[in-house]
Amino acid sequence: MLRVRLVGELGIEADGERLEPPAPAKAQALLAWLALHPGAHSRSEVAGTFWPAVREESARASLRTALSALRRSLGDAADEHLVATREAVGLHDAWVDALAFEKLVAEGRPEDALALGEGELLPSLGDEWARDARDRQRRGRAEVLAEVAERAADPAEAVRLARARLALDPLSEEAARELIERLVAAGDRAGA
């Protein structure tokens, strides 16, 4: 089983053994992108995503180099999980924490989704696709925190969840209002 962690620092595990992420930053970004977008993708699409300002031949050569580094990093797990044909590349049959979070939420299991861990999605990547994915993950996590806080039987737990939500978006008036309401409900008028 290949496990890819994208929340917090990038992490890879194959059959319970921790693997080192590929050394070049582009290979790490490629792994993250493939993990977030399961299935096969055309080489042209992927090369254009990562090397948009260069000729297609150069972008495809850079993709080959990144795939080679990724294959070395995955070791034996690459044969089972990394698709790299002349036409397509992809990652399949991998457990990805960010996707598991979304699946658990869709199944109506928000507490289990939150239990997967805290942190920001791909914090070290500045590519536009990574920023967009990070924003979506942040919004999704904030919604789940609000939902679980609403149902929390323990006022102190509701406050903790409301604070976690506000930490995701410190400028959110809605999150600030929710925290104030939770603090009042917990009897902490001074904190509110």
Side-chain angles (χ1 to χ4, degrees):
M1 162 65 90
L2 180 66
R3 297 173 62 89
V4 182
R5 289 194 127 340
L6 302 176
V7 176
E9 290 304 312
L10 178 66
I12 317 166
E13 206 177 277
D15 298 324
E17 180 184 337
R18 188 180 180 294
L19 303 175
E20 285 299 317
K26 279 293 189 188
Q28 289 182 17
L30 176 63
L31 170 62
W33 190 89
L34 292 173
L36 280 177
H37 303 90
H41 303 276
S42 77
R43 280 186 177 256
S44 295
E45 172 194 358
V46 177
T49 298
F50 286 93
W51 298 275
V54 299
R55 292 182 8 184
E56 185 172 355
E57 295 136 15
S58 295
R60 288 172 76 89
S62 296
L63 176 59
R64 279 192 300 277
T65 301
L67 283 169
S68 178
L70 181 52
R71 183 173 292 286
R72 279 191 308 276
S73 179
L74 293 176
D76 293 338
D79 293 337
E80 184 179 344
H81 300 285
L82 184 63
V83 175
T85 67
R86 291 180 67 88
E87 296 82 29
V89 296
L91 198 63
H92 67 90
D93 293 335
W95 179 91
V96 180
D97 59 351
L99 300 180
F101 180 90
E102 293 172 3
K103 183 178 180 205
L104 289 168
V105 170
E107 292 173 352
R109 299 169 50 196
E111 290 86 357
D112 293 337
L114 290 175
L116 286 176
E118 295 180 13
E120 192 169 56
L121 182 79
L122 304 168
S124 62
L125 293 181
D127 298 357
E128 183 177 348
W129 67 266
R131 287 191 309 269
D132 292 345
R134 194 167 27 254
D135 289 343
R136 280 191 307 278
Q137 183 256 0
R138 189 180 299 124
R139 283 190 306 272
R141 187 167 184 82
E143 290 171 9
V144 171
L145 285 164
E147 177 185 341
V148 175
E150 181 68 32
R151 295 193 324 234
D154 178 19
E157 178 64 5
V159 167
R160 185 189 71 75
L161 293 165
R163 283 187 187 187
R165 179 181 178 206
L166 185 59
L168 289 174
D169 186 2
L171 301 178
S172 168
E173 289 182 31
E174 181 184 343
R177 244 187 337 270
E178 180 184 318
L179 176 57
I180 291 168
E181 291 169 7
R182 302 282 174 234
L183 286 165
V184 169
D188 186 358
R189 288 192 160 302

